Every structure is written in C-alpha cells, then in structure tokens.
C-alpha cells in the first residue's frame, strides 16, 4: 500500500496498526458469515409464531431470533476467537511486542533457547486454554439443554402468586363482542404464482361458534386460515374482525394500521407448536402479553399461570419446551394463545404432529374451550372430534367450499364427494 499511496505510510508503518487492519479485514468477514449462518438457521416457523402474536419485526428480531441465533453461532464463534488469539501471536512475529518477542529477547540474554521457548509455549497454551475455558463456560451458561428445572410440587407457588385461589379470577377471558360476527371472510382468493389455491371462500363465524374445516390434503385449508391472520397475503377478498375492517384485497394488508391494531385479538395454534425453545413454559406464555403490555407484569403473570392451569400445565411452568411431550407442548401453545385474551383462535391441525396416544389430551382442552364459548376455527383430520364439538363443519376441496352445515345436517348429506371423504376416514 505505501508504495502505491505514499501517504498511507504514516499509518501503515506502525506494525500494530497494519496488523490490526489486516486481521480486522480478514476476521470480520468470517465472523459476519458465522452470524449470518446463525440468523438463517432460526426456523421461519419461529418468526411466524411471533407474527401470529402480533409482535413487530424489531421485537421478533430481539426477543426471538437473535437469542436463538447466538446459541447456534456460539460454538463456531468460539473457534474463531481461538484462531484470532493464534493469529495475533502470528502478527507479533512481525514486531508487536508480545509473548514470542519477549521470549526472543530473553534467550538472547540468557542463552537458554529451548527452556525459554518452552516457557513461551507454556504461556501460550495457558492463554488459549483459559480463553477456551471461559468461552466454554459461557456456552454452557446459555445452553438451554443443560438446564433441568424441576416440576413444581402440587401446591408450590410461583413467584408473585400468593394463593392459588386468586388464579380462578384470571381464568375467564373477557372481551367485547361487537356485532353478530367475530370474523367475516368474503370472496377470499389466493394464488401462488399461476397456481390458484383459494378460489373465492366465504366464511362468517358468529361469536362463540366453533367451525371445523375438513378436506383432503392440498385443498387449501391451511392456506385459508393463514390468510385470516395475515401470515399469507390476500390476492383478493375481505376480512372483517369483530365488525371492523381488517384485511381487504391488497389495499388493507398486514402492514396497514387496522391490521396491526387488531392482530392481537386473533390467536393461532400451529401444527408443530412453534414454542420458543430458549424460553421457559411460563416465559413462552408471558412473552406476548408483556410485549404488548396487555396488563402490568403481575397481572400478566397471573393470567399466564391461570391459562397454564386451564390446560393442565401449571406444574410445568418452569420447564423448557424440550423437556415436554408433544401433547404438553401443544397445550402450552394453546395457553400462549389464550394469554393474549383473544376473541377468536385459529387451529391448524393441532393434533397432526402428535403420537396417537397424545391426541386426546389436546382435543380435551379444545373441547373445554368450545364449551366455555371460545370462538374457534379448527382445521382438523379428527372426524369424531369435529362432529362432536363443532357448531358447523366446512368441507373444502380444490380451493372451494363444497359442503357445510351442522354436524347433524351433514350426517344426512347427499353430497357424494363429501360422503366418500367421510367414509374413507
Ligand atoms: P391443506 O392444508 O388443505 O393440505 P395447503 O393450504 O397447505 O393445503 O396447500 C394448498 C395448496 O397450496 C397445495 O397444492 C400446496 O402445494 C400449495 N401451497 C401451499 N403453500 C404454498 C407456498 N408457500 N408456495 C406455493 N404453493 C403453496
Ligand atoms: Mg394443512
């Protein structure tokens, strides 16, 4: 550089600065790459879970993505730190007064070359080892898998909870029921490229109504309920929520004010739970209410514990998601949706990822919610459940609603396609 641009020689003649610049240039690219890898490996489903809770992009980054990305990137980062320690001692060979140079100076005086260099090597290994040890400690500190919190004992209270009796007051979800319908979707169209998946779906859901959507795989059920809470954009159509405009064509979208203001009133439960793995059960349930400041912290906590109690998971409040069975995870996910005190909850095949013996514990919780008057839209393959619990069943195929009605009416349906589907189940 100094030969091409003589002026740079003022700075670059200092070997410390030139070494620093070289290392920074070289290492920052590697480290940026490691961070990018960490950020990319946080599953998209985690981001969707954040969106469904109405958390804004910055909140999703700081509360959900970055804490997980750091955990993924840390082992690689620590390797890189060790490399840097080694490289800085390489730079020292050029002239930086560092351990190797000190060694050289020493043996020119005492002529004990081997012994001095051995001592130098010893110090060098010591430095790297201490570095490695500290980083390892830090890695363990933030490693969720190493944490083994116990279950609460029956009657044991969580911090901030004076008596369990108090909890009963927070179990009921209270919201204003404006108009006849909790949700009205009209003429919903959705295409992926040239593939038209939803071809004009209409659905009005009354307050307290439980609507099950059934139909063959690929008929558009998931796509439909994901358009209702903005996880998929609409090509055409209108969604009103609690009597207010919510989504419309491409005019009112997930970035419009009415959507942002109201999204907290729709809860969603995913097929794969999508709990936040770096948070305890209680923290998972409290995250969104705290973010949105639904109540002050004490009340948010009471509500969260009351909801965990509702789904039978209170005693697991201090555990992490990886310590739970599938059925327990899904019940926590339901509590997480409930803690936002939603007006309506969407379920996308909530039991499809579960072992058969765990399905019932989740269905039982959902049946109880239905009984309590929660408004729900449920995509499911559990026919018996749908026929027992629903006020209305909707049969979708190929992006259309082909048949719908009360379970009692549908038992007498003479729609050939519908009967064939039901009888094959
Ligand atoms: P269901 O839930 O009824 O099984 P989906 O709504 O998941 O059906 O899918 C309906 C159709 O839309 C399928 O043919 C699927 O391949 C397509 N599809 C779903 N998501 C996407 C996507 N992100 N990009 C392209 N096509 C998609
Ligand atoms: Mg689906």
């Amino acid at each position: 550089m100094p030969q091409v641009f003589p002026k740079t020689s003022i700075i670059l003649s200092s070997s410390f600065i030139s070494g620093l610049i070289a290392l920074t240039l070289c290492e920052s690219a590697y480290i940026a790459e490691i961070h990018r890898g960490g950020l990319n490996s946080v599953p998209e489903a985690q981001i969707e879970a954040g969106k469904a809770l109405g958390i804004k992009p910055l909140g999703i980054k700081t509360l959900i993505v970055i804490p997980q990305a750091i955990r993924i990137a840390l082992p690689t980062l620590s390797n890189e730190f060790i490399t840097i320690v080694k490289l800085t001692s390489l730079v020292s060979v050029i002239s930086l007064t560092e351990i190797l140079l000190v060694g050289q100076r020493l043996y020119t005086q005492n002529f004990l070359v081997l012994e001095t260099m051995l001592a130098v090597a010893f110090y060098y290994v010591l430095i790297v080892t201490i570095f490695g040890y500290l980083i390892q400690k830090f890695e363990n500190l933030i490693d969720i898998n190493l944490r083994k919190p116990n279950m609460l004992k029956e009657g044991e209270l969580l911090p901030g909870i004076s008596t369990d009796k108090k909890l009963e007051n927070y179990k009921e979800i209270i919201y204003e029921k404006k108009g006849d319908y909790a949700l009205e979707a009209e003429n919903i169209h959705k295409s992926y490229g040239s593939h038209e998946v939803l071809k004009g779906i209409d659905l009005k859901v009354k307050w307290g109504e439980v609507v099950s959507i059934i139909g063959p795989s690929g008929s558009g059920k998931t796509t439909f309920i994901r358009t209702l809470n903005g996880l998929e954009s609409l090509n055409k159509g209108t969604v009103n929520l609690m009597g207010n405009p919510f989504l419309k064509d491409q005019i009112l979208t997930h970035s419009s004010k009415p959507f942002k203001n109201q999204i907290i009133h729709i809860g969603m439960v995913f097929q794969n739970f999508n709990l936040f793995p770096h948070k305890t059960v209680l923290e998972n349930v409290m995250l969104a209410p705290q973010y949105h400041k639904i109540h002050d912290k004490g009340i948010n906590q009471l509500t969260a514990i009351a909801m965990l109690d509702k789904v039978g998971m209170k005693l697991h409040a201090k555990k992490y998601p990886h310590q739970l069975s599938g059925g327990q995870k899904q019940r926590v996910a339901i509590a997480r949706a409930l803690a936002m005190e939603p007006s309506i909850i969407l379920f996308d095949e909530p039991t499809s990822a579960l072992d058969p013996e765990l399905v019932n514990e989740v269905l039982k919780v959902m049946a109880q919610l239905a009984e309590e008057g929660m408004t729900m839209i449920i995509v499911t393959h559990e026919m018996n459940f749908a026929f027992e619990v629903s006020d209305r069943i909707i049969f979708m195929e190929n992006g259309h609603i082909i048949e719908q009605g009360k379970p009692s009416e549908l038992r007498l349906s003479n729609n050939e396609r519908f009967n064939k589907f039901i009888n094959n189940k």
Side-chain angles (χ1 to χ4, degrees):
M1 280 289 280
Q3 281 157 1
V4 187
F5 303 106
K7 277 197 175 150
T8 59
S9 68
I10 305 163
I11 299 170
L12 294 181
S13 61
S14 155
S15 52
F16 174 77
I17 290 178
S18 53
L20 189 69
I21 291 175
L23 268 180
T24 310
L25 282 179
C26 176
E27 284 305 312
S28 52
Y30 278 118
I31 289 177
E33 219 26 54
I34 293 169
H35 282 293
R36 196 177 68 90
L39 289 171
N40 281 348
S41 50
V42 176
E44 181 65 25
Q46 288 286 308
I47 298 166
E48 288 193 343
K51 281 186 190 165
L53 290 163
I55 300 174
K56 297 198 178 79
L58 185 64
I60 291 180
K61 287 241 158 54
T62 53
L63 297 171
I64 298 167
V65 177
I66 292 175
Q68 291 186 56
I70 287 177
R71 289 177 166 88
I72 295 167
L74 196 65
T76 335
L77 265 185
S78 47
N79 284 343
E80 200 58 33
F81 278 128
I82 303 282
T83 315
I84 292 175
V85 173
K86 288 185 191 149
L87 284 179
T88 48
S89 37
L90 264 189
V91 171
S92 79
V93 179
I94 308 167
S95 103
L96 190 71
T97 31
E98 223 230 85
I99 179 163
L100 201 59
L101 195 65
V102 176
Q104 283 166 351
R105 215 180 278 153
L106 273 176
Y107 70 64
T108 51
Q109 288 165 11
N110 61 16
F111 302 109
L112 299 170
V113 179
L114 202 65
E115 290 86 340
T116 314
M117 288 323 275
L118 239 137
V120 165
F122 176 76
Y123 279 119
Y124 182 73
V125 170
L126 193 71
I127 290 171
V128 174
T129 313
I130 291 174
F131 240 98
Y133 175 77
L134 289 178
I135 290 169
Q136 182 66 44
K137 273 264 161 212
F138 183 59
E139 262 183 58
N140 290 350
L141 188 73
I142 66 169
D143 188 349
I144 303 294
N145 290 319
L146 294 178
R147 294 183 201 170
K148 301 267 181 267
N150 290 322
M151 271 180 75
L152 296 183
K153 291 182 195 70
E154 194 61 61
E156 184 182 342
L157 299 170
L158 283 156
I161 311 294
S162 49
T163 61
D164 267 9
K165 226 175 171 183
K166 222 168 147 191
L167 232 45
E168 293 302 319
N169 304 335
Y170 294 91
K171 277 194 179 162
E172 197 184 341
I173 298 170
I174 300 162
Y175 43 83
E176 200 187 344
K177 294 176 181 164
K178 267 187 290 177
D180 288 338
Y181 297 102
L183 183 138
E184 299 152 273
E186 216 176 282
N187 199 23
I188 302 295
H189 285 263
K190 173 71 186 175
S191 304
Y192 295 109
S194 60
H195 180 190
E196 198 179 10
V197 177
L198 301 177
K199 300 167 180 166
I201 306 273
D202 295 313
L203 174 66
K204 290 185 172 186
V205 184
K206 289 200 191 103
W207 286 108
E209 195 179 10
V210 176
V211 177
S212 288
I213 303 178
I214 60 173
S217 224
S219 54
K221 308 179 296 292
T222 295
T223 308
F224 175 59
I225 66 167
R226 285 166 58 89
T227 56
L228 298 180
N229 70 342
L231 289 180
E232 301 287 348
S233 61
L234 283 175
N235 291 104
K236 205 175 140 209
T238 319
V239 181
N240 290 350
L241 185 69
M242 307 158 81
N244 300 320
F246 187 54
L247 292 165
K248 187 175 169 56
D249 304 330
Q250 286 162 34
I251 309 161
L252 268 188
T253 66
H254 68 275
S255 44
S256 317
K257 263 235 160 77
F259 178 88
K260 288 182 183 167
N261 290 342
Q262 296 181 90
I263 180 65
I264 55 168
H265 301 303
I266 304 188
M268 179 144 194
V269 174
F270 298 88
Q271 182 173 347
N272 292 312
F273 333 123
N274 302 352
L275 293 179
F276 306 125
H278 60 300
K279 302 260 179 209
T280 63
V281 164
L282 183 60
E283 287 167 350
N284 261 279
V285 179
M286 278 182 70
L287 181 84
Q290 279 289 96
Y291 173 83
H292 292 288
K293 302 193 170 67
I294 301 285
H295 304 288
D296 65 31
K297 189 171 177 191
I299 305 290
N300 280 339
Q301 191 170 27
L302 275 167
T303 311
I305 298 169
M307 294 309 154
L308 283 172
D309 202 15
K310 214 189 215 342
V311 301
M313 288 299 293
K314 192 184 79 176
L315 298 181
H316 300 265
K318 286 201 228 160
K319 285 193 183 175
Y320 284 89
H322 75 270
Q323 298 169 313
L324 305 176
S325 73
Q328 292 174 330
K329 281 183 197 167
Q330 195 60 300
R331 286 188 280 146
V332 172
I334 294 173
R336 180 173 70 177
L338 289 173
M340 286 294 290
E341 301 170 17
S343 310
I344 179 165
I345 307 188
L346 314 174
F347 295 82
D348 186 14
E349 298 200 26
T351 56
S352 294
L354 300 178
D355 291 335
E357 70 267 28
L358 301 177
V359 167
N360 273 335
E361 62 185 72
V362 173
L363 294 183
K364 245 163 88 185
V365 167
M366 292 168 63
Q368 182 202 330
L369 289 180
E371 185 123 314
E372 287 172 9
M374 176 59 77
T375 311
M376 311 202 277
I377 302 179
I378 308 168
V379 173
T380 186
H381 285 290
E382 299 290 332
M383 289 307 142
N384 292 336
F385 171 78
F387 272 82
E388 257 168 50
V389 169
S390 316
D391 297 302
R392 183 162 38 134
I393 295 178
I394 285 184
F395 177 63
M396 265 179 80
E397 185 168 51
N398 246 329
H400 290 288
I401 294 179
I402 299 216
E403 175 70 306
Q404 63 175 310
K406 289 183 192 153
S408 55
E409 293 166 359
L410 287 189
R411 286 207 173 90
L412 309 171
S413 166
N414 46 22
N415 184 309
E416 213 175 292
R417 181 63 193 97
F418 173 74
N419 284 328
K420 192 164 165 240
F421 178 78
I422 291 290
N423 293 330
N424 280 343
K425 278 278 156 183

